[in-house]
Amino acid sequence: MAAASAVPVQPPSFEERLKAVPWKGWDGRASDPGRFALLVDWLKVDRRAAMEFLAKNRFRELRNPAVARAVGEKATASELLEIANGAESPWDAVFGAGKWASPGVVNAMADLMPSVIPEAAGPTAGAVAGLLAGINLDRAMAFAISQQTDQVRAAAIGGIFDELRSGANGEAEIRSLYGSLPPALQNSDPVLFSYGNAIWGSDPVAALQALEGISSPKMRGMGLITLSQNAASASPETAIAAVYAAPGMSDQAIYNHVSQILQNWNAVDPQAAAKFLSTTQIIPTADVAKFSPIVAPAGGGKG
């Protein structure tokens, strides 16, 4: 009796292998690095199938730099448009891939903005404007101003500011551009958020004022807490004011943030920290006693 012929075993597909290393969170740290390596390999072997898989997952994996680079280096403008319209987080996905794309592709994507779905228009405009700012600032500003609504224009300006602030002359450029904007854009939430985050190093008080002007409680809170962290060393008074101005903070969260700022301040300049606490109008009177032990003289008394 003839022996049965062996049936060749098919190796698992990329999609089957990815099931063994599932997505576990936006920050990427919780997910197995092997997942991202598999996606990069798949993009090299069969880009079309890999892009279809990424689209099913709403392009979440583009938050990973290696995957974003693998997509972006060979991206077309139509692919960036597909990403914008299908991504869970359009700004992260478009900017993450777009920064690896050629200038020609980024410019072509800018021309496709009318095809972006309304709910993705703001974040996509912010991402594209930021990418354009890294290529040609005049082109980026023209793109931003050409958008159809103040909301989308503001998001684009915010994207430009975010890109510029990492440059050597970024703050000066941002201040100049901000001053040239009409009031409706100057006072828009995305512009105030990016402007406040850009100028805190040289003018923390002005940064605080800008961020306090944001109408969205969520965005205002994010900006103020970021300011409190950034300005804690250079201007601890401003940092503490930012904490108290942030909406939705619990008493415990306020205490945690302010006590850390005061501890660091007291370690560097205990006299200034103590004077602030004894004269402050930023911290409510009822809260001052909570923080007094932090800035008390060593030995626990006045001697």
Side-chain angles (χ1 to χ4, degrees):
M1 185 174 179
S5 58
V7 177
V9 177
Q10 294 294 326
S13 67
F14 277 103
E15 191 161 0
E16 290 170 335
R17 291 160 66 189
L18 283 165
K19 290 179 181 178
V21 281
W23 170 266
K24 294 183 180 178
W26 256 109
D27 64 4
R29 290 171 291 185
S31 298
D32 191 320
R35 178 178 181 84
F36 305 122
L38 274 173
L39 284 167
V40 170
D41 288 343
W42 195 1
L43 285 160
K44 293 175 182 177
V45 173
D46 189 346
R47 181 180 178 87
R48 181 176 178 180
M51 288 294 290
E52 289 176 354
F53 175 84
L54 290 170
K56 289 178 185 176
N57 287 329
R58 303 195 64 191
F59 297 104
R60 294 177 302 182
E61 286 92 350
L62 289 184
R63 188 70 176 266
N64 177 264
V67 178
R69 181 172 185 172
V71 169
E73 285 182 331
K74 296 184 177 180
T76 63
S78 60
E79 283 181 333
L80 291 181
L81 176 62
E82 179 186 2
I83 290 168
N85 286 336
E88 187 173 76
S89 177
W91 189 96
D92 289 298
V94 173
F95 192 87
K99 67 182 178 182
W100 298 103
S102 69
V105 166
V106 174
N107 273 285
M109 173 59 201
D111 293 334
L112 293 176
M113 273 301 300
S115 298
V116 175
I117 58 176
E119 53 266 39
T124 301
V128 172
L131 294 167
L132 288 171
I135 300 169
N136 184 295
L137 183 56
D138 289 339
R139 165 67 168 130
M141 286 298 297
F143 165 81
I145 298 302
S146 72
Q147 297 310 301
Q148 296 299 306
T149 68
D150 280 345
Q151 184 178 7
V152 178
R153 281 191 286 271
I157 296 292
I160 292 171
F161 285 3
D162 285 341
E163 178 65 18
L164 290 178
R165 66 180 179 177
S166 61
N169 297 315
E171 184 177 331
E173 290 180 304
I174 289 169
R175 285 182 176 275
S176 176
L177 290 173
Y178 181 79
S180 71
L181 296 175
L185 287 176
Q186 284 186 340
N187 297 320
S188 63
D189 284 358
V191 172
L192 287 172
F193 183 87
S194 298
Y195 183 67
N197 281 328
I199 66 170
W200 66 265
S202 65
D203 196 344
V205 175
L208 175 63
Q209 292 173 343
L211 294 170
E212 285 182 321
I214 295 172
S215 62
S216 163
K218 181 178 179 181
M219 186 178 289
R220 185 167 72 250
M222 289 172 56
L224 289 167
I225 292 303
T226 300
L227 174 64
S228 76
Q229 295 166 347
N230 288 337
S233 297
S235 181
E237 303 100 319
T238 304
I240 291 170
V243 172
Y244 273 98
M249 295 278 285
S250 68
D251 289 345
Q252 186 62 52
I254 291 173
Y255 176 81
N256 291 343
H257 281 286
V258 173
S259 62
Q260 186 62 61
I261 295 168
L262 286 171
Q263 285 173 15
N264 294 337
W265 192 3
N266 190 60
V268 174
D269 192 342
Q271 289 185 337
K275 182 178 179 181
F276 165 80
L277 196 59
S278 66
T279 60
T280 182
Q281 295 182 346
I282 296 172
I283 298 177
T285 303
D287 286 358
V288 170
K290 301 177 186 178
F291 302 113
S292 294
I294 296 173
V295 297
K302 293 184 179 181

